[in-house]
Amino acid sequence: MKRARRTPRRSVAPRPGRTALDPSLANLCDGLPFALLVLDRTGAVTFANAEARRLLRLPSAAPAGCTFPALWSTLTGGDETHVAGQLRAVLTTGRPLHGPVIHLNDGTGRPTPVEWICTPVGDQKRPGLTVTLRDLSRERELRQDRDRLAAIAEESPSPIIEVDRHAQLLYANPVMTALLSRLGYGADGFPKVVPRGLPALVERCLQSGQAVRGEDVFLPEASFSWTFCPVPAQGIVRGYALDMTEIHATQQALRRSADQLADSNRRLDEALAAARESAEAKTAFLAAVSHELRTPMNGVIGMTSLLAETSLSSEQRSYIETIRQCGEALLHLINDLLESSKIEAGKLELEELDFNLRTTVEQVLAQFAERAEAKGLELVGLVHAAVPTALRGDPGRLRQVLTNLVANAVKFTDRGEVTLQAYLEEDGGDAAMIRFEVADSGIGIAPETQAKLFMPFVQADSSTTRKYGGTGLGLSISKQLIELMDGRMGVVSAPGKGSTFWCTARFVKQPSSPRAIVPAGDLKGRRVLIVDDNESNRMILHQLVSGWGMTDSVAQDAGIALTLVAEAALQGRPYELAILDVMMPEKDGLQLARELRRHPACAGLRIVVMTSLLQRGHAEEARKAGAMGYLTKPVRHDELRDCLRTVLGVAPIEPAQPAPAAPRLVTRHTLAEAARRPRILVAEDNVVNQKLAVRMAEKLGYQADVVENGREALAAMAAGEYAAILMDCQMPVMDGFDATRKIREREAMHAKRDAEDGVRHHLSRGRESFRPTPDPLLDQGVRSHAERVEGDQTPGCAQKVPDPVTRHVPIIAVTANAMAGDRERCLAAGMDDYLPKPVKLDDLRLVLQRWIVPPSESPMDEEVRSHARREEGDQTPGSAQKVPDPLAGSLSDDRSIFDPARMIQNIGGDRQLFAQLVSLFLTRYESMLADIKEALAAGHALSVERAAHTLKGTAGNLCAAAVSQAAGRLEAVGHIGALHDAPPVYAELELEVLRLVRLLEQYRQGREHVTTAAA
């Protein structure tokens, strides 16, 4: 019988990549928190859950060809055979194997601790194994965190407790344990160191779920501030305490210090109140005493002055002078003491007044002119060009400071000079910081003494006090006044080398604040020679004349001056004017003046001499030496400028005689006489028209200042007062229309400000207390003064009554345009009247009389009228032969080219002016034509219009109708911008000008007196 064949059994091993578990069971195993491996009896891995794949870095749940012994050996570095033997032992015995904690190397350098258990599964037919692995790294981290937190609590320097919901103590750190041992428990059974009512606090903390902070405990031995934090899940509360023992002790000490400080402040307030009462009493006492002292002192000084006017012997007069000097010195001391007391008490207030800085500086210098002369000192001053002059502040206090500084400089200087200068240190737009320097060549001050100079009652040393006198209050008062003006004061000095005291002060600028030195159109380009041995004088004169637009050269002695004169003559640019200092070494100013008069290169040189020493007959000696001007130092800016104008013939004091036997010398007195005549401002850019306007104004008895454009007119208006303005409409930089509008805007602004000030003044007066007992004599004096101001004035000074800033200044348009609508345009711009060119003397007289008070009668005016009558025909036979009539036997009957008779009539018969205007035109016509050519070449229509307008006005004043008409046509071409039509019009104009020039040349050559007058 055949044996039956046995069918081979199929292997039950899983295929590679497939698990041995049901999918649902595999998913369930993936959710386990530990690693699970299923092994067959050979140790091959048949299934690995998700955690096993992560922990052992397996690629899939049933990795092909992966055996646990090989995998375990790779991850742990152990023996694969040993692991395989352990697995067989589990299969054989059927007992689980608990392996030790071992570290897996995952390749990151951080071994992972795991514990593993191998358990048999299946039956005898299909035995298998399961291996479970648990990652211990997270547990180890938690254990480390727990240990760290426990260490923090244990090592904390602050008490920490943990209590249950019944406030029973569960934990106390060592610090808290030590406190319990030291402080013990209270009667309620709770530790003394915890807040009272601990059970209620714990209950509140657990119910709210919020931390409770700021529970303070204050014990004699210690102080704590507790914070309780609930742990609701566990039903416990943890408490943390902050040791406040030292802080509480510090707070207690601060409270005690604050109480002591408050007590000290109370005592200081009481002492301050007492000091204030004492200061007020001292101030009142000083005021009363100074009043009581000043009253008899005024009587002593006044009666001494009256006694000095009586007939006295020389000895008596000496006694009287001594009494006067002592009285004034005592009065000055009283004033200083009262002033110092006011400043110390804080009762000194500064005024806010409009003032002119240059005038203030010049007034200070004028006070010391006689004293400086007596000591033989040079006293000079200068307000530099950039300094604004129209300021607002307290001029009285500024004058007080400068007076003190200059007085000290003169007092402590025996020879040399004293200078006062003002600089612009800072321009802040609406305000300016001005720096003043007073320099001397006196005894100087030692460095160790300079720091004490500005203290009250301090001077350089005791010997100075004995020699020079004084209280030492002046500089202290001056420094405090300067500080009230937002400034500083100091000194730079060395023994034997003089001193420079400086100070700064801040002032508000007035809406229109011109510079201290502005260009003068009538002096521009004039050549002047300055001769002075003193360097400061040379510098100041240079600053002034160059600021006015003059070209100057300086020399320190007569020899250098003569060399400069000779060189200028060789260059064909001779000097027109020389300013000489009288007191110079070797050769004085009068000797130099005589040499200059004899010098062949100085035929037309005008000479002005300046001196610091006033001597009787000195002025006449200067006149005989050839000087035309004689001024004393310190010279004022305006005096010097007016003197130069007068000497140069720009603004003469009186019309020059044809051949004067003794020319009148220009001094500050003659300038003051001329200042009484009304001043008018001439705004004109053409030199011929300037000359004409100035001479006409002077013939009518007015003074005339000249500017070249509207901008200079605004500066001149801000710097001084004018009765009227003759405004040319067409000028460069700023024309007459724009200048007029700005002047009117300025007047309106000042009028509004003055009206507001008047309302405030009225309201303040309304608040004054009523005076129950009026003084009839005082009221009568006030009424008399008001009557004199309002009605008892002479015509010559009537124009000085209104405020020069706020009053309406008449502006008269002077223009060569005579077309319809020109007058209306001028009036619309704010001008008051209209005067067409050529200007006639009678027309100018009527227009000025319509708007301003005519000049008062004076001997000077009578001389002007007498001279005019002699020129117009009321002459003696002898004089008629000296001045032949230039119109007799006219060389041309063509009045369209030049009408001399009409021109003479227009200028009021002034034949000298006639000759000067002819000579000026012949000198300037080429430059006027050149200006037109240049504008045409540049294709600038506006420049063509202005240049042609200038020539038209000049020709109109000369009564040259043909040239005026041709220039008018070219002006119209420029006005409409049709420059392509300009060449033939210009050719016609040039032809007419040449015809006029030939006629005028014949006229000048045929009349010798014309040439002489023009020279």
Side-chain angles (χ1 to χ4, degrees):
M1 182 174 184
K2 292 183 179 179
R3 216 180 218 187
R5 295 179 63 183
R6 296 179 62 182
T7 305
R9 299 177 63 182
R10 294 182 179 180
S11 173
V12 296
R15 297 178 181 177
R18 298 181 59 184
T19 65
L21 299 181
D22 183 78
S24 60
L25 181 60
N27 291 335
L28 180 62
C29 291
D30 283 341
L32 294 176
F34 53 84
L36 174 64
L37 294 174
V38 179
L39 311 178
D40 62 11
R41 61 183 180 181
T42 64
V45 178
T46 62
F47 173 78
N49 72 346
E51 179 64 14
R53 294 195 297 271
R54 180 193 72 80
L55 191 62
L56 303 177
R57 295 181 296 165
L58 296 176
S60 62
C66 178
T67 64
F68 181 78
L71 177 64
W72 196 251
S73 175
T74 301
L75 294 176
T76 63
D79 185 7
E80 181 179 350
T81 304
H82 178 70
V83 174
Q86 288 179 317
L87 295 180
R88 285 193 300 270
V90 172
L91 285 173
T92 302
T93 62
R95 291 194 297 270
L97 173 64
H98 292 269
V101 176
I102 197 167
H103 292 81
L104 301 180
N105 296 318
D106 56 0
T108 62
R110 297 178 59 188
T112 303
V114 296
E115 66 177 6
W116 64 285
I117 301 174
C118 182
T119 307
V121 295
D123 52 22
Q124 293 181 354
K125 295 181 179 181
R126 298 180 64 182
L129 298 170
T130 61
V131 178
T132 59
L133 298 97
R134 190 161 62 92
D135 188 353
L136 301 179
S137 58
R138 178 60 180 164
E139 292 182 8
R140 182 169 294 181
E141 290 176 358
L142 292 175
R143 189 181 300 110
Q144 290 174 351
D145 291 343
R146 182 195 62 189
D147 294 343
R148 183 170 61 253
L149 293 175
I152 291 174
E154 292 292 314
E155 297 171 3
S156 173
S158 300
I160 299 176
I161 61 173
E162 188 175 85
V163 296
D164 61 10
R165 64 178 64 255
H166 304 294
Q168 297 300 317
L169 187 63
L170 301 178
Y171 169 77
N173 70 340
V175 174
M176 183 65 184
T177 303
L179 288 175
L180 292 175
S181 301
R182 182 162 63 93
L183 301 177
Y185 291 81
D188 54 1
F190 292 100
K192 292 182 179 180
V193 74
V194 300
R196 292 182 180 276
L198 182 62
L201 191 152
V202 169
E203 182 180 0
R204 175 161 58 92
C205 186
L206 288 173
Q207 289 179 353
S208 65
Q210 302 292 328
V212 177
R213 295 181 176 85
E215 295 294 329
D216 296 333
V217 176
F218 298 109
L219 301 175
E221 302 88 347
S223 301
F224 296 92
S225 178
W226 285 89
T227 298
F228 291 92
C229 298
V231 186
Q234 301 179 20
I236 63 174
V237 173
R238 296 190 179 99
Y240 308 91
L242 180 64
D243 191 346
M244 302 289 290
T245 304
E246 294 184 2
I247 297 176
H248 181 67
T250 303
Q251 290 177 343
Q252 294 297 323
L254 287 175
R255 289 193 187 97
R256 289 192 296 271
S257 299
D259 293 341
Q260 295 173 359
L261 184 61
D263 185 61
S264 299
N265 287 338
R266 180 183 55 78
R267 291 196 299 271
L268 286 175
D269 290 339
E270 294 175 354
L272 180 60
R276 286 174 177 169
E277 292 178 1
S278 175
E280 291 176 357
K282 182 179 71 172
T283 302
F285 172 76
L286 285 175
V289 170
S290 64
H291 175 74
E292 295 299 325
L293 290 173
R294 216 173 349 206
T295 300
M297 285 307 305
N298 283 332
V300 170
I301 296 174
M303 296 306 294
T304 303
S305 301
L306 293 177
L307 183 59
E309 298 298 324
T310 62
S311 57
L312 301 171
S313 65
S314 59
E315 183 179 7
Q316 292 171 329
R317 191 168 299 278
S318 174
Y319 296 157
I320 290 296
E321 181 64 20
T322 301
I323 295 173
R324 184 191 65 80
Q325 291 177 357
C326 293
E328 290 180 351
L330 184 57
L331 187 60
H332 182 72
L333 173 60
I334 294 170
N335 291 336
D336 279 351
L337 289 171
L338 183 60
E339 193 86 345
S340 178
S341 175
K342 283 183 179 179
I343 296 175
E344 182 182 353
K347 294 186 176 182
L348 186 66
E349 296 181 357
L350 298 180
E351 293 182 320
E352 286 289 332
L353 303 175
D354 291 347
F355 71 99
N356 186 288
L357 179 63
R358 191 180 67 194
T359 302
T360 302
V361 170
E362 290 174 345
Q363 288 174 349
V364 170
L365 291 173
Q367 299 178 54
F368 299 95
E370 184 176 353
R371 196 181 309 175
E373 175 197 345
K375 298 185 71 172
L377 301 177
E378 289 279 356
L379 180 62
V380 292
L382 175 66
V383 179
H384 284 259
V387 178
T389 56
L391 303 176
R392 183 173 299 146
D394 195 331
R397 295 301 179 184
L398 175 62
R399 190 181 297 111
Q400 179 180 349
V401 172
L402 297 181
T403 298
N404 179 263
L405 296 180
V406 175
N408 286 341
V410 173
K411 179 168 63 174
F412 294 107
T413 304
D414 293 329
R415 61 179 180 274
E417 64 181 19
V418 173
T419 63
L420 168 58
Q421 299 187 62
Y423 304 86
L424 177 62
E425 181 161 291
E426 177 185 331
D427 191 349
D430 295 336
M433 180 72 79
I434 311 299
R435 180 184 178 93
F436 302 92
E437 290 187 1
V438 178
D440 63 64
S441 56
I443 61 176
I445 306 169
E448 62 273 11
T449 308
Q450 294 177 19
K452 303 184 297 182
L453 276 180
F454 301 102
M455 298 179 181
F457 307 104
V458 172
Q459 286 192 335
D461 54 42
S462 58
S463 62
T464 301
T465 304
R466 287 195 299 269
K467 179 178 179 181
Y468 295 100
T471 63
L473 280 173
L475 287 177
S476 173
I477 294 173
S478 298
K479 185 175 185 294
Q480 294 178 79
L481 290 176
I482 285 296
E483 289 173 350
L484 289 176
M485 298 179 191
D486 194 21
R488 297 178 300 119
M489 176 176 282
V491 61
V492 178
S493 181
K497 296 183 179 180
S499 305
T500 299
F501 282 84
W502 60 268
C503 62
T504 60
R506 188 178 303 277
F507 299 101
V508 176
K509 293 195 292 188
Q510 296 179 29
S512 177
S513 186
R515 297 183 305 162
I517 306 174
V518 297
D522 47 5
L523 296 178
K524 185 177 181 180
R526 300 298 186 100
R527 288 178 52 77
V528 57
L529 175 63
I530 299 170
V531 186
D532 198 312
D533 63 308
N534 184 274
E535 183 178 359
S536 297
N537 282 337
R538 294 198 302 271
M539 181 272 295
I540 288 173
L541 290 174
H542 164 72
Q543 293 283 345
L544 290 175
V545 299
S546 61
W548 295 329
M550 304 179 76
T551 304
D552 68 302
S553 301
V554 295
Q556 63 186 22
D557 56 40
I560 297 176
L562 293 172
T563 302
L564 291 175
V565 168
E567 290 176 354
L570 289 176
Q571 296 171 1
R573 300 171 64 245
Y575 295 106
E576 302 175 70
L577 179 71
I579 303 176
L580 312 179
D581 181 28
V582 172
M583 304 302 295
M584 292 191 295
E586 296 182 2
K587 187 179 294 184
D588 63 29
L590 297 184
Q591 291 174 326
L592 177 59
R594 296 186 187 96
E595 289 193 25
L596 290 175
R597 300 307 295 175
R598 295 192 298 266
H599 200 286
C602 301
L605 184 69
R606 279 90 164 170
I607 298 176
V608 175
V609 297
M610 300 175 62
T611 181
S612 302
L613 300 177
L614 292 174
Q615 298 178 6
R616 186 176 298 277
H618 208 203
E620 178 61 21
E621 185 179 351
R623 188 190 67 78
K624 291 179 179 179
M628 300 179 67
Y630 179 85
L631 296 176
T632 57
K633 301 176 186 178
V635 66
R636 295 174 180 261
H637 293 197
D638 292 340
E639 280 182 356
L640 179 60
R641 184 192 60 203
D642 293 344
C643 178
L644 299 187
R645 284 173 168 170
T646 304
V647 168
L648 288 171
V650 177
I653 295 299
E654 58 183 349
Q657 302 296 331
R664 185 172 183 180
L665 185 67
V666 180
T667 67
R668 63 174 56 192
H669 305 294
T670 58
L671 292 172
E673 291 175 6
R676 288 194 289 266
R677 295 184 291 163
R679 295 173 63 195
I680 63 174
L681 181 65
V682 177
E684 171 65 64
D685 62 311
N686 183 268
V687 176
V688 176
N689 295 340
Q690 289 176 358
K691 186 73 174 179
L692 177 64
V694 169
R695 286 299 298 273
M696 283 187 171
E698 289 168 354
K699 285 183 68 68
L700 296 176
Y702 301 94
Q703 293 184 87
D705 291 342
V706 178
V707 292
E708 292 187 348
N709 54 63
R711 183 176 298 172
E712 291 183 3
L714 292 176
M717 284 293 295
E721 175 186 357
Y722 292 96
I725 305 175
L726 298 179
M727 183 77 74
D728 184 25
C729 296
Q730 301 290 333
M731 292 184 291
V733 183
M734 181 186 290
D735 61 26
F737 298 109
D738 288 341
T740 300
R741 279 190 286 268
K742 289 186 179 297
I743 290 173
R744 296 308 184 214
E745 290 172 2
R746 185 182 299 172
E747 291 174 348
M749 180 177 60
H750 283 288
K752 179 180 179 181
R753 188 195 67 194
D754 291 347
E756 293 173 351
D757 292 344
V759 171
R760 288 194 294 269
H761 177 69
H762 176 73
L763 293 175
S764 65
R765 287 294 299 270
R767 291 192 294 267
E768 291 179 357
S769 59
F770 177 73
R771 187 176 60 187
T773 57
D775 188 345
L777 295 178
L778 178 60
D779 293 343
Q780 181 180 359
V782 172
R783 286 195 300 271
S784 300
H785 175 71
E787 291 168 359
R788 287 195 301 272
V789 170
E790 294 174 0
D792 191 18
Q793 293 177 327
T794 61
C797 60
Q799 73 276 10
K800 294 185 179 179
V801 175
D803 186 351
V805 176
T806 58
R807 73 179 184 88
H808 180 90
V809 179
I811 301 178
I812 300 161
V814 182
T815 178
N817 292 330
M819 303 298 292
D822 287 338
R823 180 183 182 88
E824 288 71 19
R825 183 185 177 194
C826 294
L827 298 179
M831 298 180 183
D832 300 283
D833 215 327
Y834 176 88
L835 196 60
K837 297 178 182 178
V839 178
K840 300 178 181 179
L841 184 65
D842 291 338
D843 294 343
L844 179 61
R845 178 188 292 111
L846 291 175
V847 169
L848 292 177
Q849 287 180 354
R850 189 156 51 235
W851 293 102
I852 61 178
V853 178
S856 58
E857 299 293 332
S858 68
M860 184 185 308
D861 301 324
E862 182 59 33
E863 291 179 14
V864 172
R865 288 193 296 272
S866 300
H867 180 65
R869 284 196 299 268
R870 287 195 299 272
E871 289 183 338
E872 293 172 3
D874 188 16
Q875 299 173 326
T876 63
S879 61
Q881 295 174 0
K882 294 179 182 177
V883 184
D885 186 356
L887 303 181
S890 177
L891 299 177
S892 174
D893 292 331
D894 193 350
R895 304 296 183 184
S896 64
I897 301 176
F898 178 49
D899 190 347
R902 184 182 172 193
M903 179 180 171
I904 282 289
Q905 182 181 3
N906 287 347
I907 63 178
D910 191 336
R911 302 175 192 278
Q912 183 181 5
L913 178 59
F914 175 90
Q916 292 179 351
L917 293 178
V918 169
S919 179
L920 278 174
F921 180 82
L922 292 175
T923 303
R924 293 184 54 81
Y925 79 91
E926 291 180 344
S927 63
M928 288 190 283
L929 288 177
D931 290 342
I932 297 176
K933 282 183 181 179
E934 183 179 349
L936 288 172
H940 199 285
L942 180 59
S943 299
V944 172
E945 179 187 2
R946 287 180 174 173
H949 177 84
T950 300
L951 181 55
K952 182 180 75 172
T954 303
N957 288 328
L958 287 176
C959 294
V963 174
S964 180
Q965 292 171 5
R969 287 191 289 272
L970 185 59
E971 179 187 11
V973 170
H975 181 70
I976 64 177
L979 295 186
H980 56 278
D981 296 332
V985 179
Y986 174 75
E988 180 188 359
L989 171 62
E990 192 173 34
L991 178 62
E992 293 297 341
V993 169
L994 293 177
R995 293 172 60 192
L996 175 62
V997 168
R998 282 196 298 269
L999 186 60
L1000 293 180
E1001 287 287 0
Q1002 295 173 13
Y1003 217 95
R1004 184 167 63 173
Q1005 293 171 4
R1007 294 293 182 268
E1008 181 64 25
H1009 80 282
V1010 176
T1011 305
T1012 304

